Amino acid sequence: MKITPGSRLRSTVSSTEVVVVRAPAVDLDLTCGGEPFLAFGPSDTSPAKPGDTEAATANELGKRYADPSGAIELLVTKAGSGVMAADGVELVRKEAKPLPATD
Amino acid sequence: MNIHLLLELMAERDGTRAALGPRDGDATYDVLVAGSLRIATAIRRSGARSVAFVGLNGPPVPQLLFGSAAAGVPFVPLNYRLPGEVLAGLLGRLDRPLVIADEGCAPALAPHVDVVHREAVWIAGAIGDNEPTEVAAAPDGPAVVLFTSGTTARPKAVELGHDNLTSYVLGTVDLASASPDDATLVAVPPYHVAGVGATLSNVYSGRRLVYLPDFDPQAWIDAVQRERVSHAMVVPTMLARIVEATGGVPPRVPTLRTLAYGGAPTAMPVLDQALALFPDVGFTNAYGLTETSATIAVLGPDDHRASRAGGRPDKLGSVGRPVPGVDVQIRDDDGAETPAGEIGQLWVRGAQVSARYTDGGSALDADGWFATRDRAFVDDDGYLFLGGRVDDVIIRGGENIHPSEIEEVLVRHPLVRDVSVVGIPDEEWGQRIAAVVVRADAGASAEQSELDADAVRAFVRDRLRGSRTPDLVVFRADLPYGPTGKLARRDVAALVTEPDPPTPRGSAQKQSGTVTEVAR
């Protein structure tokens, strides 16, 4: 599917929800737990999946996940399980030490 | 992604949390979102292609910033201290601006601009008369346009994109990471890049924004106490005035956990005193440029504490280490990377670096690097040390001299409160070195003060090469700082050549302001 920065996506296998921070301008097979993500908008009222953050593969709320090249980056807006991948390449959590507040 | 999403995500986490203003106020994150979506509708209906704001910092700033973002047009906060005709000139460089000014600033603007909307009336109408709109996809155009202070040239319009700003915030702040009791005190003006950073970072972390629109050191301390402020950011001149206002007595500020400072170089004696006055506060130095979407390097509380404790190499003179996502390179004047530890020009690269100007295009090189025009080196531990602006270099008899070398020596003299070193034109040498000194025993006249021009020169001569000794030493009561703490070097040079203050009647002696000159 074609995804653009700012798009909101929802997993079909878990409670995971993400927003696209960065994406290349090409079609991309974006999956969570092996199944394609579904796009949804703010006016979308379909019920979200119940939380399932207990799983070992939990996608953490507020954390970013990216491919090795950094071309695709997702921000988790609702925690859930399921490995996230783009065209079969696993997206891994970007490690960022919290910085002291500067603003 | 649109910066408006930063606000939406926080509202989804905890929409009932207070976002703006007093502790018991009703301006929650939900209210801020609802307002910005209606303001966006009003902006769209106006047909404007940009939103210009002339006024003090306060809750309307985030309302208009996020409203503009939702409408997909840039928000342009302007320096309200500028004269009306200058502001009109800047407005003329914007694409169909909707001009909004607060009550204090509108009158000065009105004679020069066709339509000036009053902030309070316009915002109330926009929220009251409109339905919320769908948020625009992040446009390619800027989210924010800031005019540089133009201390050396015509102000440049720096364009900060949605991608630049979201990269900065996502890279440095965790969503909803603040406690519901946290509050930040914003004392910088809205047209400073730190004011933009303050709005976005604190909203995304869920920290309530409290404003001190018109800085006064005692009012700042009062606001910290009254609003139970946990975090604050000040520019160095504010820090100096806060230190002075305490009279050396540590103020009671039990809620204050962090104090960030930056925006201009900080005098070491001021910082030393501040650290002593606020022993329980974590100090952070932030270094950044308008073109880099605020902070690109951070010196954190641990480094400040270590410096006070002693025992390891002192990093207090450093601006710290680069933030995640920002690469730094030190290059020589020919553009080649310098060996580790050597001084050169600082270049930076990263998603938060815009370096894009309206009418000027991009200042990035082919590989995405931006020349900050600051001189710097990186030490063995990766700490960045700055050595003044490339543009400020004094060329005396063919030798390049950086004012900061001399300034850093002189600020450590106990009788020097502040100093600026500039080059002044000279037929023989090209330029000569002038030191403009503010005595610590302010008010003391030349004959009362123990600090005279010879003492200043001797102090430098003992510590630096002879070519660094100032040719001229001038004593003045103050240095010309702009409202955001930036020293106007142009005006310092003018101070050197202006006539001395008049001699009071009855005194045969010259007062402070004596120009002393020596041949070398």
Side-chain angles (χ1 to χ4, degrees):
Chain A
M1 68 173 136
K2 197 88 154 180
I3 53 167
T4 51
S7 301
R8 314 283 302 258
L9 307 173
R10 177 178 284 172
S11 169
T12 55
V13 302
S14 78
S15 58
T16 300
E17 290 180 9
V18 299
V19 56
V20 178
V21 175
R22 195 166 287 125
V26 292
D27 273 5
L28 213 57
D29 186 20
L30 212 54
T31 56
C32 180
E35 295 298 318
F37 269 110
L38 283 184
F40 74 103
S43 47
D44 198 330
T45 52
S46 64
K49 300 258 185 214
D52 61 350
T53 55
E54 301 302 316
T57 55
N59 302 312
E60 270 189 75
L61 172 71
K63 300 298 177 192
R64 291 171 298 151
Y65 291 74
D67 71 342
S69 74
I72 170 122
E73 186 175 308
L74 306 180
L75 172 73
V76 174
T77 55
K78 191 156 188 286
S81 62
V83 170
M84 298 188 286
D87 287 342
V89 179
E90 184 177 339
L91 304 181
V92 294
R93 195 182 129 172
K94 287 183 90 164
E95 293 299 334
K97 258 194 323 193
L99 285 178
T102 60
D103 305 296
Chain B
M1 79 185 225
N2 193 310
I3 56 170
H4 194 271
L5 194 50
L6 299 172
L7 168 62
E8 290 169 64
L9 291 174
M10 181 55 214
E12 285 173 21
R13 295 315 311 158
D14 189 359
T16 59
R17 191 184 286 194
L20 303 173
R23 271 192 294 166
D24 49 1
D26 48 14
T28 63
Y29 283 93
D30 281 341
V31 168
L32 185 53
V33 172
S36 70
L37 295 180
R38 287 170 169 81
I39 287 170
T41 305
I43 294 169
R44 283 201 174 127
R45 287 173 57 179
S46 76
R49 304 288 297 275
S50 57
V51 174
F53 175 70
V54 185
L56 302 178
N57 219 341
V61 170
Q63 287 178 302
L64 292 173
L65 170 66
F66 288 114
S68 304
V73 303
F75 176 60
V76 192
L78 295 168
N79 184 347
Y80 49 79
R81 292 170 196 263
L82 295 173
E85 61 265 33
V86 176
L87 284 168
L90 298 180
L91 290 169
R93 293 165 62 183
L94 303 178
D95 189 9
R96 276 160 58 193
L98 175 74
V99 182
I100 300 172
D102 67 16
E103 286 299 318
C105 297
L109 211 51
H112 307 279
V113 180
D114 288 343
V115 183
V116 179
H117 297 282
R118 302 292 171 120
E119 165 199 288
V121 176
W122 190 88
I123 290 178
I127 294 176
D129 302 342
N130 290 287
E131 292 302 313
T133 184
E134 292 255 317
V135 176
D140 291 334
V144 174
V145 175
L146 298 176
F147 285 94
T148 58
S149 53
T151 48
T152 52
R154 174 180 189 251
K156 287 184 280 194
V158 180
E159 302 188 343
L160 302 178
H162 288 270
D163 281 355
N164 299 137
L165 293 168
T166 51
S167 293
Y168 167 62
V169 173
L170 297 179
T172 56
V173 185
D174 274 340
L175 174 62
S177 53
S179 125
D181 294 330
D182 281 0
T184 194
L185 182 57
V186 182
V188 289
Y191 56 83
H192 192 288
V193 69
V196 177
T199 304
L200 297 176
S201 297
N202 288 297
V203 160
Y204 189 66
S205 66
R207 195 177 293 125
R208 181 167 55 94
L209 289 157
V210 179
Y211 292 93
L212 183 67
D214 202 5
F215 180 81
D216 169 85
Q218 192 55 50
W220 186 89
I221 293 168
D222 292 345
V224 170
Q225 293 170 341
R226 185 182 62 248
E227 296 293 340
R228 304 186 59 77
V229 165
S230 56
H231 296 66
M233 192 269 166
V234 292
V235 296
T237 45
M238 294 176 183
L239 188 61
R241 291 182 60 197
I242 292 165
V243 164
E244 213 163 50
T246 63
V249 182
R252 227 185 65 78
V253 285
T255 56
L256 189 64
R257 297 206 304 277
T258 76
L259 180 54
Y261 61 97
T266 309
M268 209 52 82
V270 168
L271 187 54
D272 283 338
Q273 291 173 63
L275 289 167
L277 283 166
F278 297 93
D280 301 324
V281 174
F283 279 74
T284 299
N285 180 252
Y287 163 68
L289 290 81
T290 306
E291 287 90 337
T292 61
S293 312
T295 310
I296 52 175
V298 169
L299 185 76
D302 292 346
D303 296 308
H304 285 81
R305 280 188 210 105
S307 168
R308 265 182 80 66
R312 77 168 170 88
D314 198 338
K315 306 295 188 191
L316 213 51
S318 154
V319 295
R321 283 175 290 194
V323 301
V326 168
D327 300 325
V328 303
Q329 232 179 40
I330 310 294
R331 300 188 190 174
D332 64 23
D333 292 343
D334 299 324
E337 204 174 348
T338 58
E342 277 189 25
I343 197 160
Q345 278 203 47
L346 175 66
W347 291 67
V348 298
R349 182 171 70 176
Q352 72 181 73
V353 179
S354 144
R356 213 169 35 245
Y357 305 98
T358 308
D359 310 329
S362 171
L364 297 179
D365 75 4
D367 299 316
W369 291 94
F370 169 63
T372 63
R373 302 201 66 71
D374 279 327
R375 305 220 349 129
F377 70 92
V378 178
D379 75 3
D380 292 342
D381 301 320
Y383 285 72
L384 195 58
F385 288 78
L386 297 185
R389 301 286 294 172
V390 172
D391 312 310
D392 299 333
V393 171
I394 300 166
I395 304 175
R396 182 187 189 281
E399 188 172 1
N400 285 5
I401 295 161
H402 294 277
S404 56
E405 291 176 65
I406 303 165
E407 288 164 356
E408 277 160 25
V409 165
L410 278 174
V411 291
R412 290 178 183 276
H413 191 294
L415 287 175
V416 171
R417 193 180 83 198
D418 203 356
V419 61
S420 175
V421 171
V422 293
I424 53 168
D426 181 71
E427 278 186 19
E428 189 185 353
W429 294 95
Q431 279 185 308
R432 285 186 305 163
I433 305 170
V436 182
V437 176
V438 180
R439 288 189 175 104
D441 46 354
S445 64
E447 69 271 24
Q448 288 164 336
S449 176
E450 286 173 33
L451 187 70
D452 62 14
D454 286 337
V456 169
R457 273 195 299 273
F459 195 75
V460 177
R461 199 184 303 116
D462 288 349
R463 288 161 179 81
L464 296 173
R465 269 184 283 162
S467 58
R468 269 61 179 166
T469 305
D471 300 290
L472 289 174
V473 178
V474 183
F475 295 98
R476 298 294 181 216
D478 277 305
L479 294 182
Y481 286 101
T484 58
K486 224 161 241 136
L487 183 67
R489 285 191 184 264
R490 238 187 352 199
D491 299 339
V492 174
L495 275 184
V496 176
T497 49
E498 85 180 9
D500 290 344
T503 306
R505 229 201 305 245
S507 164
Q509 295 292 319
K510 273 192 177 178
Q511 300 297 300
S512 62
T514 310
V515 177
T516 314
E517 193 167 342
V518 285
R520 281 200 311 220

